[in-house]
Amino acid sequence: MAAVSVRMNPLGITLMLLISGCSIFYWFGGANLLRSEPKISMKELLCVGIELAKRGGNRVKQIHDSNKLDATSKGKTKEGAKEMMTEGDLQSHRAIVYGFDKAFPGIKVISEEHERKPVDFKVIPDLVKQMNEVDEIITSDVQIPLNEISVWIDPLDATQEYTEGLTQYVTVMVCVAVNGQPTIGIIHQPFLKETAWGWVAYGTSKNVKNQVNEKDQKTPIEGKEDPVRLIVSRSHAGKVEPLVKDAFDNVNVIPAGGAGYKTLALIKGEADAYVHVTRIKKWDICAGNALLNSLGGRMTTLDGTHIDYHAESNPVVDLGLLADLREHDVYRSKLSKIAEDLKESSQKQPSS
């Protein structure tokens, strides 16, 4: 019987090799490379965040001025303090959340208010992704994958004071975290029409930079006869005043509303450190954390632990808060007993 010879068409061999190579590429991770994550300009995200904080602030002020607050209680804190929500909170939330949804589809936004519903983006004004005030300070940019970004917003900080007419404490805050690290912080004061912002390692708004440069840069504890000025919560104080008075020999306790206001007080030199001993939510503090970091300051739990701002993380911080622009470790040492007690308490009663 005659032998049968098979000749392969060169084109056929090439196609077979290509198909085999594509199969190997796919099974060994190539599919993930083909589905690359979209990237976002951080500079554009900063500009949009500033614009949306102002839009939210406009709604907050308009509703306050129209006397249509419609304040309701969302419940009480662990310590028994009321948690309020007003029409200002809700309208600001909508302006900011749906604005981010339009500008950056798919971005993860965590807000103090939880309303999310389908919205017609045509009715939302277009957003500016470039600002002269940002261009004057920030001369470079970076692109970050969408899945590494989480945005934390507090549409109305100091709601209790807002209902009482103490509008100097009211802020609207936007924070951008990258891989859980607070990176961009924006704090807008709608009744003063002032906006402070900072981008870690890139720069801060002019008003922030000027205020810090004008401050007394001496150590606030060592070598200073004046009392240490600690700013604390006015409406969620817990036992902070007797605790800090026991921790410091010479202290002036300053009650104030809103975590955003307290952060700005540090920057303006009106307080040396911000101390909190009850539970606090991450949307209250993320913007301040990023803003202080952009200035070389720090915000941690009382035991010195850095706060994780991943979107999936627990939004509750149980171990207190310490924020300042300098001498963080000195303050932390003074407050170590309070930190130990909070840690022991949280282990007995886990966060909800």
Side-chain angles (χ1 to χ4, degrees):
M1 185 175 181
V4 178
S5 62
V6 179
R7 292 185 178 180
M8 295 293 292
N9 187 313
L11 180 59
I13 294 173
T14 302
L15 287 173
M16 287 180 65
L17 289 172
L18 284 172
I19 292 169
S20 299
C22 287
S23 298
I24 293 169
F25 176 79
Y26 181 87
W27 288 109
F28 284 88
N32 292 329
L33 293 175
L34 292 173
R35 295 192 299 268
S36 61
E37 186 73 16
K39 292 185 176 182
I40 289 180
S41 157
M42 289 290 284
K43 192 172 180 179
E44 290 184 356
L45 193 52
L46 170 60
C47 293
V48 168
I50 294 170
E51 174 66 20
L52 289 176
K54 291 179 179 179
R55 285 189 189 180
N58 288 339
R59 297 301 297 135
V60 166
K61 188 174 186 303
Q62 287 167 5
I63 289 166
H64 180 273
D65 293 347
S66 67
N67 292 315
K68 295 180 180 178
L69 301 185
D70 295 329
T72 58
S73 175
K74 296 189 290 186
K76 292 186 176 182
T77 67
K78 177 185 173 185
E79 294 75 26
K82 285 185 179 180
E83 290 192 297
M84 306 294 292
M85 184 182 75
T86 68
E87 187 65 18
D89 294 84
L90 194 55
Q91 291 292 336
S92 178
H93 162 88
R94 290 169 180 164
I96 300 172
V97 169
Y98 299 137
F100 272 116
D101 287 346
K102 179 175 182 176
F104 302 103
I107 197 166
K108 290 175 285 190
V109 180
I110 307 97
S111 171
E112 179 174 11
E113 311 309 332
H114 305 301
E115 180 199 76
R116 296 299 287 264
K117 62 183 180 181
V119 63
D120 182 4
F121 288 132
K122 292 179 182 178
V123 303
I124 298 176
D126 290 333
L127 286 140
V128 175
K129 293 188 176 181
Q130 184 272 332
M131 289 183 174
N132 290 336
E133 68 171 286
V134 173
D135 287 338
E136 289 176 6
I137 305 296
I138 309 297
T139 57
S140 58
D141 196 5
V142 63
Q143 303 281 329
I144 300 293
L146 182 66
N147 63 0
E148 295 180 10
I149 294 172
S150 54
V151 179
W152 294 78
I153 69 168
D154 191 340
L156 199 171
D157 189 38
T159 301
Q160 178 69 41
E161 287 72 22
Y162 180 63
T163 64
E164 297 172 4
L166 301 173
T167 57
Q168 69 271 26
Y169 294 125
V170 174
T171 63
V172 176
M173 295 189 284
V174 174
C175 178
V176 178
V178 177
N179 291 319
Q181 300 296 316
T183 305
I184 290 175
I186 302 160
I187 302 179
H188 176 62
Q189 295 176 285
F191 293 93
L192 299 178
K193 297 184 178 180
E194 286 283 336
T195 308
W197 56 263
W199 179 4
V200 177
Y202 284 80
T204 64
S205 54
K206 284 184 177 179
N207 54 348
V208 168
K209 188 174 182 180
N210 291 340
Q211 287 166 349
V212 171
N213 287 343
E214 292 171 0
K215 286 184 60 179
D216 175 11
Q217 297 298 317
K218 293 180 182 178
T219 305
I221 295 180
E222 308 299 338
K224 199 171 183 180
E225 295 181 359
D226 296 334
V228 175
R229 300 165 300 165
L230 300 184
I231 195 163
V232 303
S233 177
R234 171 182 176 272
S235 54
H236 299 82
K239 298 179 179 178
V240 66
E241 187 162 349
L243 288 172
V244 297
K245 285 183 175 179
D246 187 53
F248 292 87
D249 296 329
N250 189 13
V251 62
N252 179 19
V253 179
I254 308 168
Y261 177 91
K262 297 182 191 76
T263 299
L264 295 177
L266 297 178
I267 293 169
K268 294 174 183 178
E270 296 170 354
D272 299 315
Y274 165 24
V275 179
H276 193 81
V277 299
T278 63
R279 289 181 173 186
I280 195 165
K281 305 294 179 59
K282 291 178 181 178
W283 43 72
D284 291 315
I285 58 176
C286 186
N289 198 339
L291 187 52
L292 288 176
N293 285 2
S294 73
L295 295 165
R298 292 172 67 184
M299 178 182 287
T300 68
T301 60
L302 284 176
D303 68 352
T305 302
H306 291 284
I307 299 162
D308 175 16
Y309 294 99
H310 279 98
E312 302 78 16
S313 65
N314 185 347
V316 178
V317 177
D318 283 310
L319 300 179
L321 196 73
L322 171 62
D324 52 74
L325 279 172
R326 69 182 78 83
E327 300 298 328
H328 192 81
D329 292 336
V330 176
Y331 289 117
R332 189 161 61 85
S333 175
K334 295 278 188 181
L335 299 166
S336 60
K337 178 62 169 61
I338 303 174
E340 290 171 8
D341 291 344
L342 285 176
K343 184 174 289 187
E344 183 179 347
S345 177
S346 70
Q347 289 170 350
K348 290 178 181 179
Q349 189 173 0
S351 302
S352 58

